[in-house]
Amino acid sequence: RKLFGVKDGWDDDDRNNKPANAGSFANPEMRKLFGVKVVGFDDDDDEKEKEEEKKKDGVDVADTKEEEEEEAAAEAKPDATMEAKEKEISAEETKPAPAPPAVATGPKRKVALLLAFLGTDYQGMQINASSRSIQAEVELALYRAGLLARSNFGYPHKYGWSNSARTDKGVHSCAQVCSVKIALPREDSTMDEVRALMNEHLPDDVRALDVTRVTKSFCARTQRDRVRYRYMIPSYALRDRDEIAGAFERAGCADDFAQRQPGDPLDAADLVKIRAEMDATRYRIPEDRLAKFREALAKYHGTRAYHNYTARKSPNDPSVMRYVETFTADDPVIDKNGVQWIPTSVLGQSFLLHQIRKMISMASEVAGGSTTLDEMESTFSREAIRVVHVAPASGLFLEMSYFGNYNDRQARCESSAVPPLDWTSPSSESSSSSSARKSSDAVKRWKEFRDDVVEKHVMEEEDDAGNFLKYLYVMRYYFSPEGGSFDGTGKIRTKRDKKKEEEEEEEGTEDNKEEGTED
């Protein structure tokens, strides 16, 4: 059938026998890897394991099943001793079995989910084998809530899954929009009931902020026309690079950099010393330095070539051309420990892998004095190949998704019964429209999650992990001030490489002296 393209009833069986997505919790390997229990699926896994063990031992599975049935029939007979033992078991020791997913009796509907999450403990948004992803968690919650049929669990294409953005590992979100076809619990179920049902089964660091009816043809990925990201950076990361280097030296972290691991070069004790030397909790960025940072961000406005701001893209690849509408830095804010932060916002049509984090890194280097605006301008030339470093993922989060064209089309369609997808401004509290009031409530939930959860988490994570201090350390000691130099083989020759080469040269010189030869 596959060779000659013949279609008939057998093809349905072929599709049904296709294994579940390798990154879904419908896949037994994923459940085993992360210790996740799914009612119905785990029972099947236990039965399969027992049968495989018996086959290995040379036991006839059919005969064993008959023996088990006979034993079960014998155990079903009343026995006074067993009844007495059962009475001795207290109710506290008896744990009820987890309830299976409720069976939905309502119609199927295409909906848009407004999701918010902290990405620290996840490998990203997209479902992926052997990785814990946001998509896998949402799919599991939909199944446990009874909104997704067992036959669809593990097969995203069957329920029309699509997400508006693919956030990287460790990146957070306040407005990830996903489209999915679900079965409503009842005929008269509201979208707020669906949202509450989802949140009952989602982990605490993933929340459904809104559930909205959409058209059957709606696709979150293709119909999102703009997106806004926010990046929080501590103001001390914009300090003069020589001042930062001095703090590292005074903290005793400079001389032994070649023995440290670039992936995690500083321990907790190092971070305490460096913060003290940098006076991180009392440092306040001067107005002229903040103005320089804003001037660098403004360089990104318009359509430019971003081949130096992503990975594995050649200068001539058409996809490196990206349009940035605005990139701004808000007024500084102070966290609970006294550290000053600069919130930035970038609005554009779409972004490449690592693009925003590299844009922040380049602008911070301009503010810190290690590069100039003219050198920054040269990175957009298709003739220039430049290593632009990646700022920490912990400061980045997706702030808002826009569907302006979709909303305009629905507004022109008089027969359309679906509400617009707009979470940018609260509706009037006095509005008589139930959809307007619902949108207003969703905007409040979105703002609360952004201000009280994501931004607070970003600041607390830096206090615990010191991601920005580690980033500044790696920039200083493992790369040249120009952002890395090429050695002719296509590899980046770092300061760590240079330090090792110097040590090897010194050792070679000493060996030559001992042997009485000239260097």
Side-chain angles (χ1 to χ4, degrees), residues 125-181:
M125 176 68 203
Q126 203 76 5
I127 200 167
N128 202 8
S130 304
S131 301
R132 193 155 204 166
S133 66
I134 301 297
Q135 182 179 345
E137 292 289 348
V138 175
E139 183 195 47
L140 179 61
L142 289 171
Y143 172 70
R144 285 175 167 170
L147 304 172
L148 205 62
R150 177 190 169 102
S151 59
N152 292 341
F153 183 39
Y155 303 90
H157 66 283
K158 288 187 176 182
Y159 50 89
W161 176 274
S162 177
N163 43 270
S164 61
R166 294 184 63 174
T167 53
D168 301 336
K169 175 185 177 182
V171 176
H172 320 300
S173 175
C174 298
Q176 173 69 269
V177 178
C178 304
S179 51
V180 58
K181 185 183 292 184

Side-chain angles (χ1 to χ4, degrees), residues 193-406:
E193 289 176 9
V194 173
R195 178 182 59 83
L197 195 57
M198 283 186 63
N199 284 329
E200 287 181 15
H201 298 279
L202 283 169
D204 293 337
D205 52 5
V206 182
R207 296 286 88 187
L209 302 182
D210 196 19
V211 180
T212 304
R213 280 282 309 279
V214 291
T215 59
K216 292 181 180 179
S217 61
F218 176 78
C219 175
R221 183 179 63 84
T222 60
Q223 299 193 28
R224 189 207 71 191
D225 43 58
R226 293 190 303 165
V227 62
R228 186 173 78 238
Y229 280 87
R230 198 165 178 85
Y231 194 96
M232 304 281 292
I233 184 170
S235 62
Y236 60 72
L238 305 180
R239 293 182 71 164
D240 183 271
R241 290 312 188 242
D242 291 335
E243 293 179 7
I244 293 174
F248 290 142
E249 291 170 4
R250 293 191 299 274
C253 302
D255 294 336
D256 62 343
F257 71 87
Q259 282 73 49
R260 296 172 181 260
Q261 295 299 320
D264 193 15
L266 305 172
D267 59 25
D270 293 329
L271 294 175
V272 172
K273 294 176 186 176
I274 294 169
R275 287 191 180 106
E277 294 297 337
M278 291 182 68
D279 203 11
T281 58
R282 291 191 295 178
Y283 175 77
R284 299 295 180 261
I285 189 170
E287 284 297 326
D288 60 339
R289 192 175 296 278
L290 180 57
K292 194 74 170 177
F293 182 57
R294 285 171 169 157
E295 187 179 1
L297 295 179
K299 283 279 187 183
Y300 297 121
H301 293 177
T303 302
R304 319 216 77 173
Y306 285 97
H307 55 284
N308 287 317
Y309 292 80
T310 186
R312 300 181 296 276
K313 293 283 187 181
S314 71
N316 296 321
D317 189 330
S319 68
V320 302
M321 300 299 296
R322 298 286 157 145
Y323 173 71
V324 175
E325 192 169 326
T326 59
F327 205 155
T328 58
D330 298 342
D331 292 334
V333 296
I334 311 297
D335 70 11
K336 65 179 183 180
N337 297 317
V339 176
Q340 186 185 53
W341 290 78
I342 312 297
T344 69
S345 295
V346 55
L347 176 65
Q349 292 177 335
S350 60
F351 298 93
L352 297 164
L353 178 68
H354 301 327
Q355 180 184 339
I356 297 173
R357 292 161 59 192
K358 283 176 174 274
M359 292 163 79
I360 286 287
S361 180
M362 175 58 74
S364 68
E365 290 302 301
V366 172
S370 63
T371 191
T372 66
L373 287 171
D374 289 338
E375 290 172 341
M376 177 183 175
E377 182 68 30
S378 70
T379 63
F380 304 116
S381 170
R382 288 183 179 268
E383 285 73 38
I385 302 296
R386 169 73 184 272
V387 177
V388 179
H389 303 298
V390 186
S394 56
L396 180 65
F397 64 92
L398 194 163
E399 187 178 23
M400 181 53 63
S401 299
Y402 297 87
F403 298 87
N405 293 333
Y406 169 81

Side-chain angles (χ1 to χ4, degrees), residues 8 25 33 60 67 91 133 143 212 256 260 351 370 377 384 412 425 443 463 467 489 495 502 517:
D8 57 22
F25 288 116
L33 181 62
D60 188 278
E67 291 175 3
S133 66
Y143 172 70
T212 304
D256 62 343
R260 296 172 181 260
F351 298 93
S370 63
E377 182 68 30
R412 292 194 298 269
S425 58
V443 171
D463 186 49
N467 293 318
T489 64
K495 283 190 174 182
E502 290 173 2
T517 58

